[in-house]
Amino acid sequence: MNGNRIEVAFSGDLTDPWVAALRNAIHETSTPIDGVVLPQDWSPSPFLSVLVLHRGTLSVAEADRLRRLRESDPSLRVILVVGPHARYHQIMVWSGIVDVLLPEATACETIARYVGQPTHSRIVPAKPLPVALACGQWELGRLLSDALIDAGYAPRRERDNPLHGPEAWVVWDVPVLDPDWSSRLAMAAQRRGVIALLGLANRDTVVTARASGAIACLDLPCDPDDLIYVLDRLTTASRSASLRRDSSHPHRTRSFDRQTRARTPS
């Protein structure tokens, strides 16, 4: 590591828009590696901290190359983002030589966390921030609810209904097997921010969820820390934007309140 700067190398097919978006989600400049596999003669920078790989398929030959690289530099962290065509036995081989393994469909949401480049310093709210949790799975809902409480949020459980409640944010365990899930998501997104938890997320379901108004998508099973990371990012950005708007229009809120009370029948 060069001082406090994290040096990142990125390897993947940057002609693929999903892969390009993944690289863009890393908030420090990452150095692209030519080609879509690690060159046999590749010699990483001595300051390299993190290697991010996107792979649609996983080869034994490249796994062996990566294993030798890690043996020569044990401090190097390796993050593998894997596509849907990798086979289970291939993933098992690679899982022993990487530090983090992420599914490609939702990796953009959390890749910066794993690289070690947080987008903000975490500030626990002075009072718990309300968030709705719509989850039809009891055990998953309990796990996520506990994680939210520990992180300074005030979750209110709502069984598989993202529409109800006054909270500005809802975490929804989306029933992707229901034919109308995208319509329900679109209705919820009209009045609140929806963080969609998608079982076995793939590119198609993420595209549909985003088009329906989801502001973030995570795969299920979901690491609770990933959910907190995404919620922190979204709520912090929302509070910052609100403060900027209020400072630009210091009298708008009171004026709006007076106009609202004037129009509201007693």
Side-chain angles (χ1 to χ4, degrees):
M1 187 179 296
N2 187 5
N4 292 323
R5 182 174 179 271
I6 296 174
E7 287 203 13
V8 183
F10 186 95
S11 173
D13 179 8
L14 292 174
T15 64
D16 182 339
W18 281 77
V19 180
L22 178 67
R23 185 191 171 204
N24 291 338
I26 301 172
H27 296 284
E28 294 285 339
T29 301
S30 57
T31 303
I33 300 172
D34 291 337
V36 293
V37 296
L38 291 176
Q40 291 191 26
D41 58 350
W42 183 58
S43 179
S45 159
F47 301 110
L48 183 65
S49 311
V50 182
L51 174 61
V52 179
L53 307 173
H54 176 280
R55 295 292 183 266
T57 58
L58 301 173
S59 75
V60 174
E62 191 176 20
D64 290 340
R65 201 171 304 154
L66 180 61
R67 185 177 290 107
R68 291 194 297 272
L69 175 64
R70 300 217 62 183
E71 289 172 352
S72 66
D73 185 2
S75 66
L76 179 65
R77 296 185 66 246
V78 179
I79 300 170
L80 173 64
V81 181
V82 65
H85 301 300
R87 299 290 181 247
Y88 177 77
H89 68 278
Q90 297 170 328
I91 293 175
M92 291 304 294
V93 169
W94 279 71
S95 65
I97 53 175
V98 301
D99 297 284
V100 180
L101 194 152
L102 300 174
E104 69 165 15
T106 57
C108 280
E109 302 286 2
T110 59
I111 186 69
R113 172 185 173 229
Y114 289 102
V115 168
Q117 298 166 339
T119 57
H120 66 278
S121 298
R122 186 161 201 276
I123 301 174
V124 178
K127 61 179 182 179
L129 184 66
V131 59
L133 177 59
C135 182
Q137 303 180 59
W138 185 88
E139 188 61 30
L140 174 64
R142 185 187 63 80
L143 174 68
L144 296 180
S145 181
D146 289 346
L148 289 167
I149 292 170
D150 290 343
Y153 290 89
R156 182 184 58 82
R157 289 290 302 275
E158 183 73 51
R159 183 177 175 82
D160 192 26
N161 191 333
L163 294 171
H164 293 169
E167 298 85 0
W169 309 90
V170 59
V171 178
W172 186 27
D173 171 18
V174 180
V176 292
L177 296 181
D178 289 356
D180 65 339
W181 70 265
S182 59
S183 299
R184 294 175 63 195
L185 197 160
M187 292 177 63
Q190 290 178 4
R191 57 176 297 268
R192 66 202 323 189
V194 181
I195 295 92
L197 308 183
L198 304 168
L200 300 176
N202 56 41
R203 293 190 183 194
D204 289 340
T205 55
V206 170
V207 166
T208 300
R210 286 284 192 175
S212 300
I215 55 174
C217 298
L218 290 173
D219 199 12
L220 280 177
C222 169
D223 183 338
D225 289 339
D226 283 346
L227 174 59
I228 300 304
Y229 175 82
V230 169
L231 258 177
D232 282 352
R233 185 183 71 224
L234 295 171
T235 56
T236 300
S238 176
R239 289 195 298 271
S240 297
S242 178
L243 288 172
R244 287 196 299 271
R245 287 195 301 269
D246 290 346
S247 63
S248 299
H249 305 279
H251 303 297
R252 183 178 60 180
T253 301
R254 281 181 289 179
S255 174
F256 176 79
D257 289 344
R258 286 195 298 269
Q259 293 171 18
T260 302
R261 285 197 297 269
R263 290 196 300 266
T264 304
S266 57

